Amino acid sequence: MTPNLPPRNVGPRWADRLLEWFVAPHLREDLQGDLYEIFQKRAEQVGLARAKREYTWAVLHYLTPYFFKRRKAEYPKRFLLSPDMIRNYFKIARRNLAANKAFAGINILGLSIGLACFMLIAVFVYDELNYDRYAANAEHIYRVNISVTGNGDVAVYPNVDAAVGEGIKNAFPEVKSSARLLSVSDFVKYDDKQFKEDHLAFADLNFLQLFSIPLVEGNAADALEAPNSIVITNDLAKKYFGNENPLGKSLAIGTQKTAYKVTGIINKLPDNSHFHFDAFLSLSTFHLTNPTWSNVGYYTYLELTGNADVKKLEAKFPQLVAKYVVPEVQRDMGISLAEAQKSVNTFRFSLQPLTDIHLYSNTKYELEPNGDIQYVYTFSILAFFILLLACANFTNLSTAYAARRSREVGIRKVMGSIKKHLVFQFLIESVLLTFFAMLVAYLLIFLLLPFFNQIADKHTTFSFFLDYRVLLVLFSVSFLAGIIAGIYPAFFLSSFDILKNLKGSLAAPKTQKKSLHGGLIVFQFFISTVLIISTIVVNRQLHYMQNKKLGYDKDQILFLSDTRALAKNQVAFQQQLLQNKNVVSASISRNVPIGNIIDGTQIFPKNETGNGTEIHTDIFHVDYDYIRTLGLQVLLGRDFSKEFSTDSSGVIINESAVRELGWNGTNPIGKSIVRSGQKEFKVIGVIKDFNYASVKQKIAPLIMMLGNNGGGLVLKVKTDDVQPFLADLKKQWQVFNPDAPLQYHFLDEKYAALYVAEQRTQQLFTVFSMLAIIIAGLGLFALSAFVIEQRTKEIGIRKVLGASVVGIVALLSKDFLKLIIIAIVIASPIGWYAMTHWLENFAYRINVEWWMFALAGILAVGIALLTVSFQAVKAALMNPIKSLKTE
């Protein structure tokens, strides 16, 4: 019967909507009629407002079981996202995972390793990409570089002369401000405390404000205004002043003990900065009244206006070169204006964004070793593929597990489940598994973070991973990984034929299964083989760099820096050390291989018809014992000798200088070269090329000349017990200079430290590659379990017919080996291309040889056989009666 309903504007319509949503149509009519009869009676008795409340409460009371417990009634219309169904999905997922702990454990392990690796690599990439972004206007700050084309190459210098920054600012309105930085190292003293500080810098007044470096104490606007002012870090303040307030106190700096007044305190500079200094000294101390344009030394930064066009601004710089640089070169070299113009034709100023310095600038004269954008790309790709490998593992494991759940799917279908319900059920299980994996991944990150920080030289704290943005990213990645990884198993399981489900056999087409699983295993081992090839090449290249014959003897060469503290006693100290039986030879020079002090100049050969092509060359200032001390090889001519008074105007050049000067095929001995100021030098010897910089860089032209060589002492020592020798050396140093501490390093240690960044990269790459290979091994383990489980009865029949264990293992392994070989064939050319491209970054490099691919192939096959043989042997040893009794 049709209920006698009240007017629409009287009844609580939202309560009626609830009944329409959650009550089956054939029940709703009677229920609604009864409720409205009661509603109308109560409206007459107690009033409309109270009747509405009672009606609403009756509806909610009736619907309570729909939200909090299973409803026994059956619905003609199935609700995919009804509260009952969602609760049921999670309950079944939890039961299935609890009943199959081994499956869930392996799946969670693979996914958690993948997610942990992905997040750690993502942190590394994020940190590398965010260098120097702490400055408020970082996007508008640029460093002025200078490039000089010559010697068949472009030499880029990240520092320019003192006048350049202010000159550009005054010439172009697009430039808001400029600031200079001059890096130095010197002795610092306060009371009885004296140390050598390697991270000092002279800076302009506005430098701290330009880089948004806040002062804990003092005023950033004028802290560096007065000459002889200094701003120090908290750590340096504690080092010298302890608990005293350092403001207003003075530090004595340099051998002259110049007093600098502390005018400000700053915190430690951010880790992701391309420079780190312990103190900033006022550049106004130098009183630069006539700064020049044509030299280098000052790291210069410009802040541009928001609408400045960088390319157009750079196009105007040649005007400044013609106006300022050319006259200076003409004056310094004593040549005509036309010759000076020709000399600076390849002289270019350029602007480099502040945020690009760390990843895109790798000159010899950087303030600190920088990163490399190629490594960022490499690790980003590695993180992506590790995550894909983990998802592929999940798909393989879930599909292998499908054989055990086929009857469950069949029974569900018989009981009325439709495909979308089954798909949703399995996707819930997949996502639930990924969230468990996410929790385990956080545990792995917590455990591995100290190790990761040590290798990557980062300072990431675990609190970073608890930031809501990081949590959101990891939650999204986990959810997406669960959906992507669970899609195929969900549709695969729900699409089985009911009869074959109930028989326990899978009904997916064989070609579909083979193509998917074969494709997954080829993909996994393709990635693994490329990673193995890459790891071999990276390790070989690093070994080559560390053990390459450098052209000089770096073993047991001891360099004493800052001997200028001895002033006129440097020679006396040298002679004193030569009395020690452990000192083979000693040379006074501040220039050593892998050193930070290298002078440079422009030179050209002097011919009968005039001057030849100008080249840029580095300069080592040496004494008579330098070449012998370092074990350099003289190819032509002779070493410097006290017997020849003319050697003060003589030079020794290397093979690269001979080539660049155009003297190949001729004898350069006795020929002349001319440098700035028209000063002429005679070539008295040619030495064999030696790597005085990193082997990543091509050996540049080099000249050696006598004089101006103070500031360092190079010792060739011969002793098996270094510590007593160093103790004796320090005592002798104290006799000559009791105030300044002895500063020294061994050349081989300095050389090894040169490749710390490459070592870190190699270690990171190796660790993550090994984890990726482990994940791939888990995937192969899953696929072998899946295939062998399908062939259990076949194996039983073969054993009954007389097949041996070895024969069965070979049969089961054969198909997998085919896939591995396909993966190796695909990976080899791609690995060769990637590694050849990477090696192009090194001037001196290894060749990518055939044995590297053979070794990678053998390792890949070995990993595959080890993984598959475990399952194959287990199946081959199974009692055939157990295999056949269910048929």
Side-chain angles (χ1 to χ4, degrees):
M1 56 177 276
T2 303
N4 183 21
L5 301 177
R8 186 173 297 273
N9 61 348
V10 175
R13 289 297 300 162
W14 68 272
D16 290 337
R17 289 290 186 190
L18 288 177
L19 292 174
E20 291 173 8
W21 287 343
F22 290 101
V23 180
H26 69 287
L27 298 176
R28 186 173 64 244
E29 185 177 351
D30 291 338
L31 175 63
Q32 226 171 355
D34 293 341
L35 289 174
Y36 266 113
E37 285 181 8
I38 297 171
F39 171 75
Q40 288 182 355
K41 289 180 181 179
R42 294 297 291 168
E44 294 175 358
Q45 295 172 355
V46 299
L48 184 60
R50 182 172 176 179
K52 283 186 177 182
R53 289 196 298 272
E54 291 178 353
Y55 180 85
T56 301
W57 177 254
V59 169
L60 293 175
H61 181 73
Y62 180 81
L63 293 178
T64 298
Y66 289 87
F67 295 102
F68 298 104
K69 65 180 182 178
R70 289 184 60 85
R71 180 74 173 172
K72 293 184 179 180
E74 296 181 3
Y75 306 107
K77 182 178 180 180
R78 299 174 177 88
F79 296 95
L80 180 64
L81 295 177
S82 68
D84 273 347
M85 292 300 291
I86 294 174
R87 185 159 43 95
N88 186 56
Y89 291 146
F90 278 99
K91 183 186 294 184
I92 294 173
R94 179 174 53 80
R95 287 176 179 173
N96 280 325
L97 296 177
N100 298 277
K101 295 181 178 63
F103 157 77
I106 293 175
N107 238 346
I108 290 173
L109 178 63
L111 279 171
S112 59
I113 292 174
L115 287 171
C117 290
F118 176 83
M119 288 305 297
L120 287 173
I121 296 175
V123 166
F124 173 82
V125 171
Y126 175 82
D127 186 74
E128 290 290 295
L129 293 175
N130 280 275
Y131 259 70
D132 296 308
R133 296 185 185 274
Y134 59 90
N137 296 316
E139 298 299 329
H140 302 300
I141 299 174
Y142 294 79
R143 186 177 69 184
V144 184
N145 292 344
I146 189 172
S147 60
V148 180
T149 303
N151 312 339
D153 200 1
V154 178
V156 179
Y157 299 86
N159 44 26
V160 294
D161 214 340
V164 174
E166 193 66 17
I168 293 176
K169 174 182 173 293
N170 293 334
F172 307 113
E174 301 98 310
V175 182
K176 289 175 63 177
S177 63
S178 70
R180 296 166 298 178
L181 183 79
L182 181 65
S183 176
V184 297
S185 62
D186 219 325
F187 293 101
V188 177
K189 185 176 182 180
Y190 178 74
D191 287 343
D192 59 342
K193 299 177 183 177
Q194 178 167 292
F195 301 96
K196 170 69 180 302
E197 300 294 346
D198 293 322
H199 301 99
L200 307 177
F202 286 91
D204 274 321
L205 164 67
N206 62 330
F207 186 86
L208 299 177
Q209 292 176 302
L210 180 65
F211 281 87
S212 305
I213 300 174
L215 266 66
V216 178
E217 294 185 50
N219 183 4
D222 58 12
L224 295 176
E225 182 176 9
N228 299 98
S229 300
I230 185 172
V231 173
I232 61 177
T233 62
N234 269 318
D235 291 340
L236 201 70
K238 290 177 182 177
K239 182 177 180 179
Y240 287 95
F241 299 103
N243 295 324
E244 299 178 33
N245 184 358
L247 282 183
K249 292 184 169 61
S250 294
L251 290 170
I253 298 178
T255 55
Q256 303 299 319
K257 303 294 189 294
T258 305
Y260 283 80
K261 182 181 178 182
V262 178
T263 55
I265 308 294
I266 60 173
N267 287 319
K268 179 187 173 189
L269 293 173
D271 292 325
N272 55 352
S273 172
H274 78 283
F275 58 77
H276 293 90
F277 293 103
D278 296 320
F280 293 97
L281 296 81
S282 55
L283 194 57
S284 59
T285 305
F286 289 163
H287 301 290
L288 296 170
T289 54
N290 294 300
T292 55
W293 283 75
S294 57
N295 215 318
V296 295
Y298 294 85
Y299 296 86
T300 302
Y301 302 88
L302 306 178
E303 182 184 359
L304 306 186
T305 57
N307 58 354
D309 188 317
V310 177
K311 294 298 181 185
K312 290 182 178 178
L313 179 60
E314 286 179 323
K316 301 174 186 177
F317 287 166
Q319 303 171 20
L320 301 180
V321 174
K323 185 176 180 180
Y324 297 106
V325 179
V326 172
E328 279 186 20
V329 172
Q330 179 189 14
R331 182 185 66 245
D332 293 343
M333 298 186 68
I335 56 180
S336 67
L337 186 64
E339 287 178 314
Q341 180 64 57
K342 180 182 177 182
S343 177
V344 299
N345 273 343
T346 60
F347 192 98
R348 296 284 184 274
F349 290 123
S350 61
L351 297 179
Q352 183 171 36
L354 174 66
T355 53
D356 284 358
I357 292 174
H358 178 66
L359 293 177
Y360 294 92
S361 185
N362 285 288
T363 71
K364 288 190 294 186
Y365 307 102
E366 296 293 339
L367 287 167
E368 293 180 6
N370 284 332
D372 192 328
I373 190 62
Q374 296 299 326
Y375 291 142
V376 172
Y377 292 149
T378 299
F379 281 108
S380 298
I381 293 170
L382 181 61
F384 176 71
F385 279 125
I386 286 177
L387 193 61
L388 281 185
L389 285 175
C391 291
N393 263 0
F394 183 89
T395 302
N396 269 340
L397 281 167
S398 298
T399 309
Y401 179 61
R404 302 177 186 175
R405 298 189 64 180
S406 58
R407 287 190 178 88
E408 175 194 337
V409 173
I411 292 171
R412 283 176 174 275
K413 286 190 173 183
V414 169
M415 297 301 292
S417 289
I418 59 176
K419 184 174 181 178
K420 65 180 180 180
H421 287 174
L422 294 171
V423 168
F424 197 74
Q425 170 66 57
F426 292 119
L427 285 178
I428 286 285
E429 290 186 20
S430 174
V431 172
L432 191 62
L433 210 61
T434 59
F435 286 130
F436 283 137
M438 184 182 76
L439 296 177
V440 177
Y442 259 88
L443 176 62
L444 290 175
I445 290 171
F446 178 77
L447 296 174
L448 295 175
L449 191 58
F451 175 70
F452 170 80
N453 282 334
Q454 181 181 356
I455 294 180
D457 193 29
K458 301 296 182 185
H459 300 86
T460 307
T461 60
F462 188 70
S463 60
F464 174 84
F465 295 93
L466 300 179
D467 184 270
Y468 76 94
R469 291 165 294 186
V470 178
L471 285 170
L472 183 61
V473 169
L474 190 55
F475 181 89
S476 302
V477 169
S478 300
F479 180 78
L480 188 61
I483 295 296
I484 293 174
I487 281 177
Y488 175 76
F491 282 94
F492 176 63
L493 290 168
S494 61
S495 62
F496 293 159
D497 178 78
I498 294 179
L499 293 178
K500 291 187 177 181
N501 281 150
L502 295 174
K503 290 176 66 178
S505 59
L506 304 182
K510 289 184 178 180
T511 54
Q512 178 185 343
K513 290 187 293 183
K514 285 185 177 180
S515 61
L516 174 73
H517 295 303
L520 285 174
I521 214 66
V522 167
F523 168 75
Q524 289 178 314
F525 273 82
F526 156 72
I527 297 299
S528 299
T529 305
V530 170
L531 292 177
I532 293 172
I533 292 170
S534 303
T535 302
I536 292 171
V537 173
V538 170
N539 278 278
R540 292 298 301 172
Q541 175 63 22
L542 188 59
H543 180 269
Y544 171 78
M545 290 193 300
Q546 292 174 327
N547 296 278
K548 180 183 181 294
K549 291 183 178 180
L550 303 173
Y552 64 90
D553 186 7
K554 69 178 186 298
D555 297 323
Q556 291 206 322
I557 296 291
L558 185 65
F559 179 61
L560 311 184
S561 58
D562 293 306
T563 56
R564 60 193 172 93
L566 301 176
K568 296 179 180 180
N569 291 324
Q570 290 186 72
V571 175
F573 183 63
Q574 176 195 25
Q575 296 303 314
Q576 177 73 23
L577 292 180
L578 286 172
Q579 304 303 314
N580 190 317
K581 64 178 181 179
N582 293 318
V583 177
V584 178
S585 62
S587 170
I588 296 176
S589 176
R590 65 178 180 274
N591 299 121
V592 287
I594 323 299
N596 297 324
I597 303 174
I598 300 178
D599 295 334
T601 187
Q602 301 297 114
I603 65 171
F604 45 83
K606 185 175 182 180
N607 304 323
E608 289 129 0
T609 57
N611 296 327
T613 304
E614 182 182 62
I615 70 167
H616 178 82
T617 181
D618 293 327
I619 303 175
F620 273 21
H621 298 278
V622 301
D623 67 0
Y624 296 100
D625 301 304
Y626 186 85
I627 290 178
R628 181 167 61 91
T629 301
L630 279 178
L632 303 177
Q633 183 180 352
V634 179
L635 299 177
L636 296 172
R638 60 177 175 81
D639 193 356
F640 293 112
S641 173
K642 295 178 182 178
E643 297 178 1
F644 297 90
S645 60
T646 55
D647 279 3
S648 59
S649 60
V651 294
I652 296 175
I653 63 177
N654 67 353
E655 293 176 284
S656 295
V658 172
R659 286 192 298 271
E660 298 300 333
L661 288 167
W663 289 342
N664 265 346
T666 65
N667 186 358
I669 305 302
K671 293 188 176 182
S672 298
I673 60 172
V674 181
R675 64 174 298 198
S676 300
Q678 288 290 311
K679 190 171 182 180
E680 186 175 325
F681 294 87
K682 290 284 185 183
V683 176
I684 66 168
V686 176
I687 57 171
K688 186 176 178 63
D689 275 346
F690 66 100
N691 291 94
Y692 58 89
S694 168
V695 297
K696 292 178 70 174
Q697 299 161 350
K698 180 182 175 183
I699 297 176
L702 174 72
I703 64 175
M704 293 182 177
M705 56 179 58
L706 291 173
N708 193 28
N709 56 309
L713 185 61
V714 187
L715 302 180
K716 174 67 176 177
V717 300
K718 186 178 181 181
T719 177
D720 295 327
D721 198 353
V722 175
Q723 293 306 318
F725 169 73
L726 292 176
D728 183 57
L729 182 64
K730 290 176 182 177
K731 289 180 182 178
Q732 294 184 62
W733 173 270
Q734 290 297 316
V735 172
F736 282 87
N737 190 332
D739 294 330
L742 176 65
Q743 302 291 321
Y744 65 88
H745 66 256
F746 283 95
L747 217 55
D748 55 349
E749 294 175 353
K750 184 78 170 180
Y751 183 79
L754 192 65
Y755 303 106
V756 168
E758 281 76 15
Q759 285 178 324
R760 290 195 186 106
T761 303
Q762 174 249 339
Q763 290 172 341
L764 270 180
F765 192 83
T766 301
V767 168
F768 285 122
S769 296
M770 288 176 62
L771 290 173
I773 293 167
I774 289 172
I775 294 173
L778 286 174
L780 185 61
F781 181 88
L783 186 60
S784 60
F786 171 71
V787 171
I788 291 171
E789 185 167 358
Q790 283 188 312
R791 301 178 69 177
T792 300
K793 293 182 176 63
E794 175 194 341
I795 294 168
I797 293 171
R798 287 180 180 275
K799 289 195 70 175
V800 169
L801 295 176
S804 66
V805 172
V806 174
I808 291 174
V809 171
L811 176 70
L812 295 174
S813 303
K814 180 179 64 176
D815 292 337
F816 293 106
L817 285 180
K818 290 179 182 177
L819 297 174
I820 304 305
I821 291 171
I822 292 172
I824 293 170
V825 170
I826 297 172
S828 295
I830 294 176
W832 174 85
Y833 174 80
M835 287 296 97
T836 302
H837 180 70
W838 178 73
L839 288 170
E840 288 175 357
N841 294 317
F842 300 88
Y844 302 94
R845 51 186 178 264
I846 62 170
N847 294 319
V848 181
E849 301 178 19
W850 67 269
W851 65 265
M852 299 177 181
F853 301 97
L855 179 59
I858 291 170
L859 289 174
V861 170
I863 293 168
L865 283 176
L866 186 65
T867 306
V868 173
S869 61
F870 175 80
Q871 295 285 356
V873 171
K874 181 180 175 183
L877 294 175
M878 185 183 295
N879 189 336
I881 296 174
K882 292 183 179 180
S883 304
L884 299 172
K885 68 179 182 180
T886 57
E887 191 60 60

